[in-house]
Amino acid sequence: MHFSIPETEVRSDENGSTYVAYNIHVNGVLHCRVRYSQLLGLHEQIKKEYGNNVVPAFPPKKIFTLTPAEVDQRREQLEKYMQAVRQDPILGSSEVFNSFLRKAQQETQQIPTEEVQLEIYLSNGQKVKVNILTSDQTEDVLEAVASKLDLPDELVGYFSLFLVQERGDGGCTYVRKLQEFELPYVSITSLHSPDYRIVLRKSYWDTAYDSDVMDDRVGLNLLYAQTVSDIERGWILVNKEQHRQLKSLQEKGSKKEFIRLAQTLKYYGYIKFDPCITDFPEKGCHVIVGAGNNELNFHVKLPSEQMKEGSFKVTRMRCWRVTSSQVPVANGTANPSSSSKCDVKLELAFEYLMSKDRLQWVTITSPQAIMMSICLQSMVDELMVKKSGGSIKKMQKKRLNGTFQRSDSQQAVKSPPLLDSPDPSCEQVVKLSTKLSSVSLRGLSSSNSASDISGNDFHGNYAFEGIGDDDL
């Protein structure tokens, strides 16, 4: 998640005294509004809980009233502080940090704690109404939905809640996975738009886990509904013969067989993102990105109008980062006080070894860059757990307890701190696996059928130390 403090406000408290408020944005959208003293209090709590050695530097107090320039300097320092805390694997998942953000979010939106009914959508559009408190965090709401659906406790960790925006063309945009530091009711209410909804969707990538879910009646129905929905929206590619087989199984009510057949289809289990821009293989290319099967898949439209497809395996990425910048609005002036996503340019860049000795940065410019980064991180987390002989249930438990960490030998694939610029002098990978794999861009016809993929490949060999293909 991308934390920023793009602007400040001068506000008045209940006594009429004025103070400077720092607006904390998450993914370019206002999350909460806090005072310096509140953040200082958070800092003191973190120091008390974890010690001085792990806490990032905090901007010092000032005796005299700050000038506008000093306020802006403090804003930048507080922004770096929040980013550093969030990126720390211990501090960023701590209850001290997350409870602070939840409380601040509720106070900012001025929503009192009370019982409410919240609508959660399934993949097929069906609504599940749950009775919760406005102060219930994401985990609480997820458990309430699972209870309403009679989903067993041991399967709750296989699913997550996602914020989704419905589009006018009937499609939808996955904005983000709801996080532990937010209150779902407050998050959805503060958007003030009927276009947004909270959707329940599976949150794992390895199709082997489907068997666990399908052993339960409710889990089977949820997975079946999601699979049908993904096929209908075109996220999963189906040719005529496969469509006939799926329809026959659907008519028979053979849900497990339906899912097993779907598992063999191209892009099963992927999340597709809205059209965006990439610099690969050329600058300014339009691309549709999909995340799944431990990779980012590209459908690229070149300036020559030629269509190409390629995949970048997460096990072959050296690192990745998300950057953001303010962009001019329609009238030609920058508007840093706006919380609209349209005013924030987000980019996901990852370093990839295209050949045995050639690393290259690939950049995607998209409002969903952070969602893409979250997908990459969850793929890595899942691979790490699988490699160590763990299970998805243990992984979910570690995440909730804030103890998910990697050993030094598992640092090959990582997400570095946000807002770092790609470093061209970055140390090259020295040790390479002896088993090499390839990434290719394949020529595509205008048809969406999986059988229409043809040759004229671009190839680059690569395998990365740590969790290369020979380790999985």
Side-chain angles (χ1 to χ4, degrees), residues 84-355:
V85 172
R86 177 59 185 173
Q87 287 300 299
D88 186 283
I90 297 177
L91 304 182
S93 59
S94 68
E95 182 57 23
V96 171
F97 183 65
N98 291 322
S99 62
F100 172 85
L101 289 172
R102 291 193 295 265
K103 182 179 179 182
Q105 182 190 26
Q106 187 176 14
E107 290 177 349
T108 298
Q109 299 301 333
Q110 298 182 331
I111 295 179
T113 299
E114 58 185 4
E115 290 188 6
V116 292
Q117 192 174 73
L118 181 62
E119 292 182 344
I120 306 295
Y121 287 78
L122 306 183
S123 296
N124 60 0
Q126 179 182 345
K127 288 188 289 188
V128 178
K129 296 181 179 181
V130 292
N131 295 316
I132 63 166
L133 293 175
T134 54
S135 58
D136 279 346
Q137 57 188 291
T138 300
E139 181 189 352
D140 297 329
V141 176
L142 178 60
E143 290 178 351
V145 176
S147 177
K148 189 69 176 286
L149 294 171
D150 289 326
L151 183 69
D153 291 344
E154 61 268 21
L155 292 183
V156 175
Y158 289 72
F159 294 87
S160 292
L161 299 176
F162 293 83
L163 179 65
V164 175
Q165 183 179 21
E166 298 296 315
R167 300 197 305 265
D169 59 3
C172 65
T173 298
Y174 274 71
V175 179
R176 69 174 187 272
K177 184 165 73 171
L178 295 185
Q179 301 294 307
E180 67 276 13
F181 58 75
E182 63 183 315
L183 311 176
Y185 178 84
V186 177
S187 293
I188 194 74
T189 303
S190 63
L191 291 170
H192 304 292
S193 172
D195 296 338
Y196 291 92
R197 59 176 58 176
I198 298 175
V199 173
L200 180 72
R201 183 181 174 88
K202 74 175 186 180
S203 59
Y204 58 87
W205 303 99
D206 191 339
T207 58
Y209 292 126
D210 285 347
S211 298
D212 297 344
V213 176
M214 289 192 291
D215 283 342
D216 175 73
R217 175 185 58 84
V218 177
L220 173 62
N221 288 335
L222 289 173
L223 189 57
Y224 173 75
Q226 179 178 314
T227 304
V228 171
S229 174
D230 287 355
I231 291 174
E232 289 177 344
R233 62 162 58 108
W235 283 15
I236 300 175
L237 292 189
V238 181
N239 61 31
K240 289 183 179 179
E241 176 57 24
Q242 293 163 343
H243 184 272
R244 185 193 64 77
Q245 296 176 26
L246 289 169
K247 187 175 181 180
S248 175
L249 291 172
Q250 196 171 29
E251 291 172 348
K252 294 176 183 177
S254 304
K255 296 179 181 179
K256 284 188 178 182
E257 290 75 12
F258 183 97
I259 294 172
R260 291 193 178 105
L261 175 57
Q263 288 173 333
T264 67
L265 304 179
K266 194 167 186 179
Y267 307 132
Y268 172 83
Y270 282 61
I271 287 180
K272 292 292 183 71
F273 301 97
D274 294 345
C276 53
I277 303 296
T278 182
D279 63 357
F280 184 87
E282 301 176 38
K283 287 186 177 181
C285 289
H286 293 266
V287 62
I288 295 178
V289 180
N293 193 29
N294 298 321
E295 68 180 22
L296 288 183
N297 177 269
F298 277 29
H299 273 236
V300 181
K301 183 178 182 180
L302 301 178
S304 64
E305 301 298 314
Q306 183 183 5
M307 300 297 296
K308 286 186 175 289
E309 182 195 12
S311 293
F312 298 90
K313 288 290 184 182
V314 68
T315 52
R316 304 168 193 174
M317 295 179 185
R318 187 178 189 276
C319 59
W320 72 87
R321 55 176 58 90
V322 175
T323 60
S324 80
S325 59
Q326 297 290 317
V327 296
V329 292
N331 61 8
T333 61
N335 184 13
S337 65
S338 172
S339 61
S340 170
K341 280 189 173 183
C342 297
D343 298 325
V344 178
K345 179 183 178 182
L346 292 172
E347 291 184 339
L348 169 71
F350 57 88
E351 195 176 24
Y352 201 85
L353 196 50
M354 296 294 179
S355 60

Side-chain angles (χ1 to χ4, degrees), residues 3 21 117 195 201 285 347 383 387 411 425 437:
F3 280 68
Q117 192 174 73
D195 296 338
R201 183 181 174 88
C285 289
E347 291 184 339
L383 285 171
K387 185 181 179 183
Q411 292 293 332
S425 64
S437 304

